[in-house]
Amino acid sequence: MTVVDGTRGIWTCTTDLDLLRRLARGEFDWLVVDAQHGPVGRGDLYAVGRALDGAPAPFLVRLPAVDAAWAGAALDAGAAGVIVPSVTGAADAERAALAARYPPLGERSWGPFPPLWGGEAPTPEAANDTVRCWVMVETPGALDEVDAIAATPGVDGLFVGPFDLALSLGTTPDALLDDDSPDGPLARVVAAARRQGLLAGGFAGTPDRARRMRAHGLDHLAVTNDAEVVDAGLRSLLTDSED
Ligand code: 3PY
Ligand code: MG
């Protein structure tokens, strides 16, 4: 199993397996399959896992909610980790962390998919060592309890969702990213992660937001997404053809 600690990720919503395989060629350190917003359902995980088995870039699944069954299914499919959205406090973070690891560290149930397609499943020990449980900080409750979340055993990283965090704080993503006060929301997330030696990252979605988030110390970033890769390719190829 690969440990997903690289800093440059790409976000995807597609269920197109060929596109996913192209995007997982390794230009990015990791790829996120988003099961919260978009067409990806639990029934897609088997095909996604099979298509991405052995791909140069490992994949993470952003779950639809704090949901142990979904976390188990995503990891069974071969995901190197989960990104858990809509966490409202430390109790949610603990549920998420327990779902991501097998006993004695957690409560994950055994049932990996790779043997079903002739692939190999890691041992429970290897899976526990390498899995990454990213807890999203995107609600006021998670921000209030960010230190307790970071101190929760089995939480490996804090992942900022700037859109929901801004919405729920009554501000805008731009204002959130521009707030560089020492007790601003992003500074609090980074400080909590550093105190506990955790990874800190988030959804940027554009290179510009990625630069601004990196300036706060959030360095594990989804810097673009599948649709934008296609759109940017179209724009640049069209421009090239007219030069
Ligand atoms: C957010 O910004 O709220 C996200 O969840 C990114 O996908
Ligand atoms: Mg969100």
Side-chain angles (χ1 to χ4, degrees), residues 11 34 36-37 62 85-86 136-138 159-167 173 202-204:
W11 200 267
D34 188 0
Q36 185 183 28
H37 298 296
R62 196 262 288 270
S86 311
M136 290 196 73
V137 180
E138 56 176 357
F159 200 89
V160 171
F163 286 89
D164 281 322
L165 187 57
L167 262 178
F203 175 85

Side-chain angles (χ1 to χ4, degrees), residues 1-141:
M1 288 286 287
T2 320
V3 181
V4 183
D5 284 348
T7 55
R8 301 179 314 167
I10 178 164
W11 200 267
T12 71
C13 291
T14 187
T15 52
D16 182 318
L17 303 179
D18 295 329
L19 177 58
L20 282 172
R21 283 179 62 81
R22 297 179 89 91
L23 295 174
R25 277 176 174 166
E27 282 84 357
F28 292 92
D29 297 322
W30 37 271
L31 176 147
V32 178
V33 174
D34 188 0
Q36 185 183 28
H37 298 296
V40 176
R42 250 189 82 173
D44 295 309
L45 290 176
Y46 183 89
V48 167
R50 185 176 173 157
L52 295 180
D53 193 2
F59 72 101
L60 303 159
V61 175
R62 196 262 288 270
L63 307 181
V66 184
D67 183 322
W70 251 97
L75 297 171
D76 286 349
V82 289
I83 300 178
V84 187
S86 311
V87 165
T88 57
D92 277 353
E94 188 183 7
R95 285 171 57 214
L98 289 173
R101 284 184 168 84
Y102 294 110
L105 301 179
E107 296 174 348
R108 183 178 168 195
S109 163
W110 179 255
F113 298 170
L116 300 179
W117 60 69
E120 271 186 38
T123 63
E125 294 75 21
N128 279 356
D129 281 350
T130 53
V131 72
R132 291 283 177 255
C133 177
W134 286 91
V135 167
M136 290 196 73
V137 180
E138 56 176 357
T139 69

